Amino acid sequence: MKTKKLVALVLALAMLLCLAACGKKDDGSSNGSANAATPGAANSIAVCLASEPDTIDPALNSAVDGATLLAHLFSGLAKWAQDDSGNLVIVPDAAEELVEGVENDDGTVTYTYTLRDGLVWSDGEPVTAGDFEFSWQRAASTGLAADYGYMFEVVDGYNDIWETDDNDEYVNPDAKLNVRAIDEKTLEVTLYNAVSYWNELLAFPTYFPVREDVVENESWATDPSTYVCNGMYTMSGWDHNSLITLTKNPNHPDADEVTMETIEFYLSDDSNNMLSNFKNGSWQMIDDVPTNEIAALKEEYPDEFIVVGQLGTYYVCWNINEEILPASSTLTGAEAENAKAEIRNAISLLFDRNYIVNDITQAGQVPASSFVAMGLTDADGSEFYENAGHDSGFVGYYDVSEDALEGNFETAVETLKKYYTYDEATGKFTDFPTLTYLYNTSEGHKAIGEYLQSALANVGITINLENQEWATFLNTRKQGDFSLARNGWLGDYNDPISFLDMWTTSSGNNDVQFGKGDNANVAIYSLDLTPYGLDTKVENGTWAETYDVLISAIKTCTDAENRYAMMHLAEDMLMETGCLCPLYFYTDLYMLDSSVHGFFSSPLGYKYFMYCTIE
Amino acid sequence: MSSKTLLYIVKRILLALFTIWVVITITFFVMHAVPGGPFVGEKATTPAVQAAMEAKYGLDKPLMEQYGTYLRDIVTKFDFGPSLKQRGRMVIDIISDGLKTSAKLGVIAACISAVVGIVLGAVAALQRNKLIDRVVMVLTTAFVSMPSFIMGSLLLVLFAIKLRVLPANGATPAGLVLPIITLALYPAAYITRLTRSSMLDVLGQDYIRTARAKGVSGRHIIFGHALKNSLIPVLTYFGPMLAYIVTGSLVVERIFAVPGIGRAFVSSITNRDYPMIMGTTIILAALIVIMNLITDILYKVVDPRITLE
């Protein structure tokens, strides 16, 4: 009897303790449930883009989620906005207007901007032209060594700043950008030559202003109390790794247009967690979804699962120095190099890109047949990728429609037969060397790798799959220690050059190893720039003598038509090597609650919440 | 405290310091041997930028010199340096932010698991083979064998998505309820089983029979003799468990978006954020070493027959 009483007592005590433990949090949880049930007040929005940003110093940021925060916190000279018909346009922000440049005698172009009235920092100080001058000099300086410092490479003086001698020492330690504040309100900047995307650069976070006395404190951008900004919002809270809260800045000249009082940026790196919070109504917008949920979400949330274009290409890249001819091949020199290019191009034809986007990635990606991504414009305003390649009848360098699959396969097999032994009975090549496909550890990349493996196995080509952890992978790929590797590129601004200048010999992103190793001495490339008014004509030159020359010609060309024509030429050169095998153009997917109106995003993936309302 | 015990503690502290030094040394050199670096990204920076960054953080110096500087700063200034990834933030600040959350979660979860586990274990032992014992055993078997990512996901779907009574993110106090429960379930179940078997063992001992024969009351036998003596295995488990649970569980932190130290630890490795890797490793190692030491000392409190030497 006594035991029973004791047990009852102990049990009661245990329950009490449990209740007390939960009860204590119940106060909070009622908040939580309120939060979960009613998705914020109408003038507040809760969103989740990514985990804690590495930095939200405008000059140092190089991430898309950081850029979204900065677009709300700062006013640069220009900004992205939606016009009446819903198209995205660049409009003046801190500048009164986006002026035309004036060409100088030496070919440089000078722009003179006047700042709007009423611009103040969040601590009440006025924003001056001097702040812009300081910020730009800082962002482009060797001392700061910002990832995106090269965004200023179009500004006169940049090359002098970064010029190094043979010992990697800076030649001109006192060099500066050619930008100066003429008075409190007038800013003058000189570019090496006219650049079609200059206004877009002005809207880029690296060009946003900061104040000298604020950034003297190296930790200024890590705490709301020291975070002084000049945009439509101020930072009212930062609970590290958890939540950044932005509150409308009533002193901004455009404050009347801002409809969203508070934006809560929750910080999470787990797409499953994001989805849970979206599903229970806690968050109204999430910028990532679990890959394996995409198909279900499209069904379940047809209006809230949103896919938009993004300036990026997912591709397979070859190591140009990889030996792929059969051991029995007698080809050498230029003949061998041309044969390899032909083989690589033939292999590009063996992949069914529609299968990849429809059955593997399933997020509205577009099969790609050229390297410069969809969404970048050509000289006449049309899509650059639609004008790529030579053939009419299809877009790009090969036909990636479903109907063309069989024809592509036959063409590829016929081409490969020239170099390899083909067993007609089995329909397979017997002496293609075994290759390895390298990718960074991820279910999505693995699934694509497995598809590529099976597609090539069909014709008797064996590729082994090898995955590496992200940082190791980057290192391996950069050093050219691979035969085939997954690759992807997102443009920083709407100009094809951001996809083309990465393939110059000395570029840090030249993963293919063009002009490096054995390829450094391969002289099979030709370049003729006479149609564009230049006297450059090279036949059988090296990569450095042709492609590098072409890219610098593009960078200094002031005639838009010639410049774009040369960019097509550069892409032709790249694609002829067969080293880049584009699979699809990236898309940006996110979930947006149907109660949210007035939201838009830019082609670079930045999200804008200031004009949102919740109904 | 006897001088013998004191000597033992001093010896253990010295050993702990030695252990931590070994951890620092191994981590430091292994970390630098792994390919990749803190300033390597999808978009490569120019060699000049790379060199400028390395010079700024002293990564251009010989490895032994970096090691020496690091050890000196830790010992003389307790300075873990700046994070290479989160520019402008110091490692110690990032760790203390994360540790606060993880520790809050861990301590609450550990307390709940201890109370629930000991009570249920004792009850199950006293009610051996009866219904309540069987129910407890079935439930604890289930909880012990279910990994936290399944348990966490189940709780998340049930309470945050279907019933919508608790939030799914750890940004608010209410958001910590589900992670605490997820963290507590496994140790609670384990402690229940431990207490039960240990209690059964103790209840079969001669001295319990003697006490009963002498007419000592059931309550006194249970609380005065049986329970206390059956807690030693629980204590052995509890100390290190507390250290692990307090230092953060990556899985639980990810599922519930809790800003704890577990996430920071793993992301520091992915990012090759050298000072963060060192900082988190040292703090975690120190906590585990300290918890083990405390556990050993507590043995003596629970069972005076144990001598520490």
Side-chain angles (χ1 to χ4, degrees):
Chain A
M1 195 63 202
K2 258 185 178 173
T3 326
K4 269 191 181 169
K5 263 189 186 168
L6 181 72
V7 171
L9 189 77
V10 168
L11 272 176
L13 199 73
M15 283 169 72
L16 202 70
L17 268 170
C18 287
L19 280 177
C22 302
K24 196 176 157 203
K25 264 140 249 104
D26 260 346
D27 304 339
S29 74
S30 57
N31 284 339
S33 58
N35 186 9
T38 48
N43 56 359
S44 167
I45 188 169
V47 305
C48 182
L49 305 176
S51 56
E52 173 105 346
D54 288 338
T55 170
I56 46 171
D57 180 327
L60 292 174
N61 172 69
S62 58
V64 174
D65 51 306
T68 295
L69 281 158
L70 292 166
H72 290 82
L73 288 161
F74 286 89
S75 281
L77 291 183
K79 67 177 176 184
W80 284 95
Q82 248 180 335
D83 66 9
D84 294 337
S85 46
N87 295 322
L88 283 186
V89 285
I90 299 276
V91 296
D93 192 358
E96 270 183 0
E97 61 171 326
L98 297 177
V99 293
E100 292 289 321
V102 178
E103 193 169 336
N104 305 310
D105 294 342
D106 60 354
T108 59
V109 181
T110 300
Y111 294 80
T112 310
Y113 296 96
T114 308
L115 296 189
R116 287 167 79 182
D117 291 329
L119 284 172
V120 287
W121 293 100
S122 51
D123 62 357
E125 299 258 330
V127 176
T128 65
D131 293 331
F132 278 91
E133 182 192 330
F134 164 76
S135 313
W136 293 8
Q137 300 289 9
R138 169 179 182 258
S141 68
T142 54
L144 194 71
D147 284 1
Y148 272 175
Y150 69 81
M151 285 287 170
F152 288 91
E153 68 181 356
V154 296
V155 179
D156 184 29
Y158 179 87
N159 294 342
D160 299 332
I161 297 176
W162 287 91
E163 190 183 346
T164 50
D165 59 18
D166 294 340
N167 302 324
D168 276 345
E169 300 287 331
Y170 296 111
V171 179
N172 313 301
D174 299 323
K176 282 194 166 350
L177 293 181
N178 191 346
V179 51
R180 63 191 181 103
I182 294 176
D183 56 42
E184 292 268 292
K185 303 216 116 202
T186 316
L187 184 74
E188 188 186 86
V189 54
T190 302
L191 311 192
Y192 285 115
N193 47 262
V195 179
S196 58
Y197 52 97
W198 172 241
N199 285 345
E200 220 170 294
L201 286 178
L202 293 179
F204 201 80
T206 321
Y207 280 75
F208 290 169
V210 290
R211 210 171 70 209
E212 188 168 5
D213 61 308
V214 172
V215 301
E216 269 170 8
N217 168 10
E218 235 186 280
S219 305
W220 75 279
T222 62
D223 192 297
S225 64
T226 50
Y227 198 81
V228 177
C229 49
N230 75 328
M232 292 179 174
Y233 287 84
T234 56
M235 192 200 290
S236 50
W238 189 348
D239 192 359
H240 284 287
N241 287 302
S242 186
L243 172 66
I244 293 176
T245 311
L246 306 192
T247 309
K248 180 178 165 179
N249 172 12
N251 300 321
H252 192 274
D254 294 333
D256 292 347
E257 296 169 21
V258 176
T259 48
M260 190 51 68
E261 287 288 331
T262 312
I263 311 171
E264 292 178 327
F265 288 94
Y266 284 88
L267 308 170
S268 168
D269 52 3
D270 188 72
S271 55
N272 284 297
N273 180 269
M274 289 190 196
L275 187 59
S276 303
N277 281 290
F278 181 82
K279 280 186 170 175
N280 77 5
S282 297
W283 298 346
Q284 286 83 55
M285 189 267 170
I286 56 170
D287 207 8
D288 195 11
V289 293
T291 316
N292 54 6
E293 294 275 349
I294 290 175
L297 289 172
K298 274 199 271 192
E299 293 271 312
E300 209 178 326
Y301 298 92
D303 300 327
E304 298 179 311
F305 178 83
I306 296 168
V307 179
V308 290
Q310 199 175 15
L311 304 178
T313 309
Y314 187 104
Y315 62 102
V316 175
C317 88
W318 287 84
N319 180 347
I320 197 164
N321 295 317
E322 178 73 11
E323 192 46 71
I324 49 172
L325 287 168
S328 56
S329 171
T330 51
L331 296 176
T332 52
E335 275 183 337
E337 292 303 323
N338 286 324
K340 284 199 275 184
E342 200 180 357
I343 291 165
R344 288 186 292 252
N345 269 316
I347 286 177
S348 293
L349 294 176
L350 291 171
F351 304 127
D352 181 356
R353 291 158 176 81
N354 291 288
Y355 175 79
I356 295 176
V357 300
N358 295 331
D359 294 86
I360 303 178
T361 59
Q362 301 186 12
Q365 288 92 345
V366 177
S369 58
S370 57
F371 179 64
V372 176
M374 187 174 79
L376 286 111
T377 42
D378 213 325
D380 58 358
S382 63
E383 286 269 1
F384 189 88
Y385 86 99
E386 286 178 348
N387 307 326
H390 308 281
D391 285 295
S392 54
F394 58 84
V395 165
Y397 293 86
Y398 19 78
D399 192 349
V400 291
S401 66
E402 280 181 52
D403 299 339
L405 197 60
E406 213 166 302
N408 283 345
F409 184 85
E410 280 163 15
T411 313
V413 170
E414 284 311 309
T415 308
L416 293 176
K417 274 182 186 173
K418 291 200 276 184
Y419 305 104
Y420 302 94
T421 316
Y422 187 67
D423 180 353
E424 297 284 348
T426 57
K428 290 184 172 167
F429 292 97
T430 52
D431 56 353
F432 201 104
T434 300
L435 302 169
T436 302
Y437 180 71
L438 181 73
Y439 62 96
N440 55 301
T441 314
S442 132
E443 284 305 310
H445 301 322
K446 184 179 172 195
I448 290 176
E450 283 168 349
Y451 166 72
L452 301 177
Q453 188 180 40
S454 71
L456 293 184
N458 267 344
V459 292
I461 301 173
T462 308
I463 55 172
N464 298 320
L465 301 184
E466 184 187 341
N467 75 91
Q468 287 183 352
E469 177 267 349
W470 178 237
T472 309
F473 168 77
L474 286 178
N475 207 47
T476 313
R477 198 175 64 183
K478 195 177 150 78
Q479 291 177 348
D481 199 8
F482 67 98
S483 43
L484 272 168
R486 177 204 85 80
N487 217 325
W489 188 255
L490 290 170
D492 294 323
Y493 43 89
N494 181 5
D495 192 284
I497 193 72
S498 64
F499 281 78
L500 300 170
D501 67 355
M502 60 191 277
W503 299 115
T504 53
T505 309
S506 61
S507 160
N509 293 305
N510 176 9
D511 295 332
V512 170
Q513 315 296 313
F514 286 120
K516 291 182 178 178
D518 293 344
N519 189 249
N521 302 317
V522 172
I524 56 166
Y525 308 103
S526 299
L527 180 70
D528 181 6
L529 296 182
T530 48
Y532 314 106
L534 299 165
D535 57 359
T536 309
K537 193 166 182 180
V538 183
E539 270 187 41
N540 294 327
T542 61
W543 190 257
E545 287 162 353
T546 53
Y547 193 81
D548 291 5
V549 171
L550 174 57
I551 292 299
S552 36
I554 294 169
K555 286 193 170 177
T556 50
C557 178
T558 51
D559 179 76
E561 209 157 301
N562 280 339
R563 186 169 171 275
Y564 275 88
M566 285 195 284
M567 289 199 281
H568 279 297
L569 187 64
E571 193 181 21
D572 293 346
M573 273 188 79
L574 284 175
M575 295 301 290
E576 274 162 22
T577 65
C579 287
L580 307 179
C581 169
L583 294 182
Y584 60 78
F585 297 129
Y586 278 111
T587 47
D588 182 15
L589 20 142
Y590 56 88
M591 308 264 316
L592 180 69
D593 196 277
S594 52
S595 64
V596 180
H597 302 275
F599 168 86
F600 68 96
S601 67
S602 85
L604 301 175
Y606 305 171
K607 311 288 185 300
Y608 296 83
F609 302 100
M610 55 276 265
Y611 309 119
C612 285
T613 50
I614 296 183
E615 283 165 22
Chain B
M1 199 184 292
S2 70
S3 60
K4 221 172 172 185
T5 313
L6 202 66
L7 189 68
Y8 171 80
I9 293 175
V10 171
K11 246 165 55 187
R12 282 293 301 266
I13 290 174
L14 288 177
L15 192 67
L17 288 175
F18 175 73
T19 310
I20 291 170
W21 172 74
V22 171
V23 169
I24 291 178
T25 309
I26 293 175
T27 314
F28 189 89
F29 290 103
V30 169
M31 167 179 94
H32 280 280
V34 176
F39 310 119
V40 175
E42 172 102 61
K43 298 197 170 174
T45 47
T46 62
V49 171
Q50 191 92 6
M53 293 298 291
E54 284 177 3
K56 184 179 164 117
Y57 293 105
L59 296 176
D60 53 341
K61 304 218 166 66
L63 204 54
M64 278 316 284
E65 190 183 333
Q66 290 182 45
Y67 173 69
T69 315
Y70 189 80
L71 272 188
R72 193 193 61 215
D73 287 352
I74 290 283
V75 174
T76 57
K77 296 184 273 186
F78 201 62
D79 178 5
F80 289 85
S83 163
L84 303 184
K85 204 70 188 173
Q86 298 184 33
R87 283 181 77 169
R89 294 200 77 202
M90 300 304 286
V91 167
I92 195 74
D93 296 333
I94 301 175
I95 291 181
S96 80
D97 275 357
L99 203 56
K100 264 184 228 159
T101 311
S102 290
K104 186 160 69 183
L105 237 64
V107 169
I108 297 175
C111 290
I112 292 177
S113 64
V115 171
V116 172
I118 292 170
V119 170
L120 284 184
V123 169
L126 293 172
Q127 299 286 310
R128 190 183 183 185
N129 290 335
K130 294 196 183 140
L131 179 67
I132 189 162
D133 179 33
R134 283 163 201 242
V135 171
V136 167
M137 282 302 102
V138 169
L139 282 181
T140 52
T141 308
F143 291 148
V144 163
S145 34
M146 203 181 294
S148 60
F149 66 89
I150 293 188
M151 182 50 78
S153 306
L154 278 177
L155 291 173
L156 186 81
V157 170
L158 182 63
F159 291 103
I161 299 180
K162 298 281 180 225
L163 300 175
R164 298 196 180 190
V165 289
L166 289 166
N169 66 87
T172 55
L176 300 183
V177 175
L178 289 179
I180 287 174
I181 296 175
T182 313
L183 276 179
L185 276 175
Y186 175 86
Y190 196 87
I191 292 174
T192 306
R193 298 177 68 86
L194 218 52
T195 311
R196 179 182 177 272
S197 62
S198 163
M199 186 103 167
L200 284 178
D201 187 40
V202 171
L203 286 174
Q205 297 283 332
D206 288 346
Y207 63 87
I208 298 286
R209 201 174 308 132
T210 311
R212 280 195 209 283
K214 279 164 69 181
V216 178
S217 74
R219 187 179 308 172
H220 192 74
I221 289 176
I222 292 163
F223 288 106
H225 302 284
L227 192 58
K228 195 177 163 193
N229 284 325
S230 55
L231 285 186
I232 291 178
V234 176
L235 205 58
T236 313
Y237 170 70
F238 192 78
M241 180 273 282
L242 187 63
Y244 283 112
I245 208 172
V246 160
T247 50
S249 150
L250 171 74
V251 174
V252 173
E253 285 176 15
R254 277 191 77 106
I255 293 177
F256 297 103
V258 174
I261 192 80
R263 267 160 81 192
F265 188 31
V266 174
S267 63
S268 69
I269 298 171
T270 321
N271 292 333
R272 305 285 191 274
D273 189 345
Y274 297 141
M276 265 301 284
I277 299 177
M278 292 305 298
T280 38
T281 311
I282 293 172
I283 298 285
L284 300 196
L287 271 168
I288 290 171
V289 168
I290 292 167
M291 287 315 298
N292 277 323
L293 178 61
I294 294 176
T295 309
D296 286 354
I297 296 168
L298 277 182
Y299 278 152
K300 193 170 170 63
V301 178
V302 178
D303 187 349
R305 288 172 303 178
I306 294 173
T307 48
L308 300 172
E309 51 189 82

